[in-house]
Amino acid sequence: MSVLDVPGGTAAPAARSEGIVSVFVRLKLTLLRNGLRQSSGRRAVFITSLVFTLLIAAGQVLGLILMRGQAGAGTLVVLLTAVVAAGWAVLPLFFPSGDETLDPSRLVMLPLRPRPLVRALLVASLVGIGPLFTLCLALGSVLALAHGAAGVVFGVIAVPLTLLICVALARSVATANIRLLTSRKGRDLAVLSGLVIAVGIQFVNFGAQRLGRAGGLDALDPVADVVRWLPGASAIGAVDSASDGSYGQALVQLLISVAALVALLWLWQRSLVKLMTSPDGSTLAASAPARKESAPGRSGLAALLPEGRTATVMQRSLRYVARDPKTKAAWVTALAIGLIVPVLNAVQGAGSVYFACFAAGMLGMQMYNQFGQDTSAFWMVALTISSTRDAYLELRARALALLMVTLPYTILVTLVTAAVIGDWTAMPGAMGLSFALLGAMLATGAVASAAWPYSIPQDGAFKNVVPGQGGLAWISILGGMVASALLAAPVIALTIWLHVSDRHEALWLVVPVGAVYGAFIGWAGLRVAAPRTANRLPEILTAVSKG
């Protein structure tokens, strides 16, 4: 039976619905099989992911079984289930292309009714590595908590219910946001997924350290008492309650999960109806009224910038940050990690105010490979560079655009770190050192951009270098970082000497010294990089256009 054989109407026979389910399951298996046939690399990735997931799932089940009867088993299991459920809700937003069947817009032209379509997609969604991992988690959780006949009964219901809630949650979120996810903003969101992962790792590390100092899982009991009533974990919480003899509480928690599943399926069905019956932006664009052209003149940010080439280049660089997905991801990641690392170390009591220099280092790296960020569009920039002075003005404007963000941000991070630690004495030294480091990275970044340019591919969220140019990227970044440390050595030596000689009251001198020295080094680096840029325009254009 084909999907197209399903007729219209208000109600579908049970046999036809079952036929749709089987068709969609076979469709999912076919997509998976055909995807693996495309390349040996894709097969290797899938097999590696499957083996890795099975190993983690087996270890997880074994660990949960060993937790059986332990005091903190209920707390651990409930929180772990809630984290996995939250992951099911978030991951479709960041990896919409990971599963072709997540895009229901491909089915809008088929004569399918929403209710049987939801049923078929729900069953087909149970095929995959993610559902297998979640099933193992739910099974291990029940094995760790279920005691007595009531606990077993609730456990038998909780395992499939938890799995269905996670899958329905992912599907409803993906369907409600599918047009966003397939747009440019959606691709921006996918690129920023690396930031979420990096930030999440920092917070997980921080939480684990705090948990270790707190003396065990007992510190998480208040959180677990709240989470066990939330839909993602309430079914597992019902097993724990039933095992303790709280049958009324267990029944309420189980009903919460059932109600959540029904609500998710209803929202999913409603999103499908809206998706299949309402026009998208592409069909409305032709009928939309034309926007009025803005009046000529300088307004907004342009009014604050110097006239001429400098203003034009600065605006272009800042627009890249706001609009280009790769550039935006790099900047947002640098801003987030530059604040998280010093502040989290300060909160844990293991940091120093000099960790604030990490922010200057992260943002200074944005000066590297300036021309690679333009990709093949660099040829239009190259047409405007006919002399060393043109190259100097181009590089200087790019550096000024970077400084518009990095300077106030570096000051902010330094002040916040000093406030958290309470070490205002060393704050001037950290700020002056950050200024010197920032100037050094501007200098080395400009020289590296001219000497070792490389292309940034636009077709992958996690590809930052085209094949064959990895060596250039490593030389540019690592070599530049070492050179920056050497260039900032005089200010580093001054700061160390003031600390060793116990002249902390004179640390305020590092602020003007670092600012002046950083400005001088940055200016000198731009002067050195300008003639290299002007003389190597054909080589730079060839290198950055390979993506």
Side-chain angles (χ1 to χ4, degrees):
M1 173 182 171
S2 171
V3 178
L4 296 175
D5 294 333
V6 181
T10 59
R16 298 291 179 87
S17 297
E18 294 175 0
I20 296 175
V21 171
S22 63
V23 167
F24 271 80
V25 172
R26 293 199 304 270
L27 175 63
K28 180 67 175 285
L29 294 174
T30 301
L31 288 172
L32 179 61
R33 182 177 63 252
N34 292 343
L36 296 178
R37 287 177 177 175
Q38 290 181 1
S39 66
S40 58
R42 189 164 183 174
R43 287 194 298 272
V45 171
F46 178 80
I47 294 174
T48 302
S49 302
L50 180 60
V51 172
F52 188 66
T53 301
L54 289 175
L55 291 176
I56 293 180
Q60 178 180 252
V61 172
L62 180 60
L64 291 173
I65 292 175
L66 294 177
M67 285 291 295
R68 183 179 177 86
Q70 300 296 323
T75 298
L76 175 64
V77 166
V78 167
L79 293 179
L80 185 60
T81 306
V83 169
V84 172
W88 275 94
V90 173
L91 288 181
L93 297 176
F94 293 130
F95 303 100
S97 59
D99 183 358
E100 292 87 345
T101 61
L102 278 177
D103 187 358
S105 62
R106 302 182 180 186
L107 308 173
V108 295
M109 299 302 294
L110 301 180
L112 300 175
R113 292 179 300 280
R115 184 172 298 178
L117 182 59
V118 166
R119 188 181 304 113
L121 288 174
L122 180 62
V123 176
S125 300
L126 299 177
V127 178
I129 297 178
L132 176 62
F133 177 83
T134 307
L135 178 63
C136 293
L137 169 67
L139 181 61
S141 301
V142 170
L143 292 176
L145 297 179
H147 295 280
V152 173
V153 171
F154 275 87
V156 171
I157 302 174
V159 170
L161 186 58
T162 301
L163 177 60
L164 290 176
I165 286 177
C166 290
V167 173
L169 180 60
R171 283 291 186 172
S172 60
V173 170
T175 303
N177 297 277
I178 191 62
R179 284 179 176 162
L180 169 65
L181 299 178
T182 54
S183 64
R184 183 179 64 86
K185 292 183 178 180
R187 291 191 291 270
D188 294 353
L189 190 63
V191 170
L192 294 177
S193 60
L195 168 64
V196 176
I197 295 173
V199 173
I201 290 174
Q202 293 292 331
F203 279 104
V204 168
N205 178 46
F206 173 68
Q209 293 182 6
R210 291 293 298 270
L211 184 61
R213 288 196 296 266
L217 294 172
D218 294 341
L220 297 177
D221 286 343
V223 180
D225 291 339
V226 175
V227 172
R228 68 177 63 248
W229 291 96
L230 300 179
S234 59
I236 300 299
V239 178
D240 191 24
S241 300
S243 299
D244 292 339
S246 303
Y247 304 120
Q249 177 176 320
L251 183 60
V252 173
Q253 290 172 322
L254 194 64
L255 290 177
I256 290 176
S257 292
V258 173
L261 178 60
V262 173
L264 287 172
L265 294 176
W266 179 79
L267 290 173
W268 185 7
Q269 179 178 334
R270 184 177 180 183
S271 299
L272 279 175
V273 173
K274 182 178 180 181
L275 180 68
M276 295 181 172
T277 58
S278 61
D280 59 10
S282 62
T283 60
L284 297 175
S287 60
R291 292 181 298 178
K292 294 182 179 181
E293 295 292 337
S294 57
R298 291 164 56 84
S299 60
L301 178 63
L304 304 176
L305 301 178
E307 296 186 9
R309 184 189 186 108
T310 300
T312 302
V313 176
M314 291 180 68
Q315 289 184 74
R316 185 213 314 145
S317 299
L318 294 175
R319 284 197 178 103
Y320 278 162
V321 176
R323 298 180 181 179
D324 180 65
K326 290 294 182 71
T327 306
K328 181 190 299 184
W331 269 91
V332 174
T333 301
L335 291 170
I337 302 300
L339 177 64
I340 289 173
V341 170
V343 171
L344 280 186
N345 279 279
V347 171
Q348 296 177 52
S352 166
V353 69
Y354 287 97
F355 271 83
C357 297
F358 193 81
M362 289 293 296
L363 293 175
M365 290 180 62
Q366 307 309 311
M367 188 64 188
Y368 290 81
N369 197 33
Q370 278 290 310
F371 307 127
Q373 298 174 13
D374 298 345
T375 63
S376 58
F378 177 69
W379 72 270
M380 292 186 291
V381 177
L383 291 176
T384 66
I385 300 176
S386 58
S387 64
T388 299
R389 176 169 175 76
D390 291 337
Y392 171 75
L393 294 176
E394 176 75 23
L395 290 170
R396 187 187 67 177
R398 292 176 182 242
L400 290 175
L402 188 144
L403 287 173
M404 287 187 63
V405 179
T406 55
L407 268 182
Y409 187 78
T410 299
I411 296 174
L412 174 64
V413 172
T414 305
L415 293 176
V416 170
T417 306
V420 174
I421 296 177
D423 187 5
W424 293 102
T425 302
M427 185 274 295
M431 186 172 296
L433 189 57
S434 296
F435 290 158
L437 179 62
L438 185 58
M441 297 198 76
L442 290 179
T444 57
V447 175
S449 297
W452 301 290
Y454 56 91
S455 180
I456 301 177
Q458 300 297 308
D459 58 346
F462 304 101
K463 296 179 182 179
N464 294 315
V465 184
V466 299
Q469 292 187 335
L472 289 174
W474 281 104
I475 292 174
S476 175
I477 297 176
L478 293 182
M481 292 174 65
V482 173
S484 298
L486 294 176
L487 288 176
V491 180
I492 296 175
L494 173 62
T495 306
I496 295 175
W497 178 74
L498 291 175
H499 276 284
V500 172
S501 61
D502 201 21
R503 300 184 180 181
H504 299 92
E505 69 281 355
L507 281 172
W508 66 270
L509 292 173
V510 182
V511 176
V513 171
V516 173
Y517 182 80
F520 172 75
I521 289 296
W523 170 82
L526 295 177
R527 285 293 184 184
V528 172
R532 296 181 65 90
T533 301
N535 296 330
R536 299 188 73 248
L537 280 179
E539 293 88 344
I540 296 174
L541 182 59
T542 301
V544 302
S545 300
K546 290 185 177 181

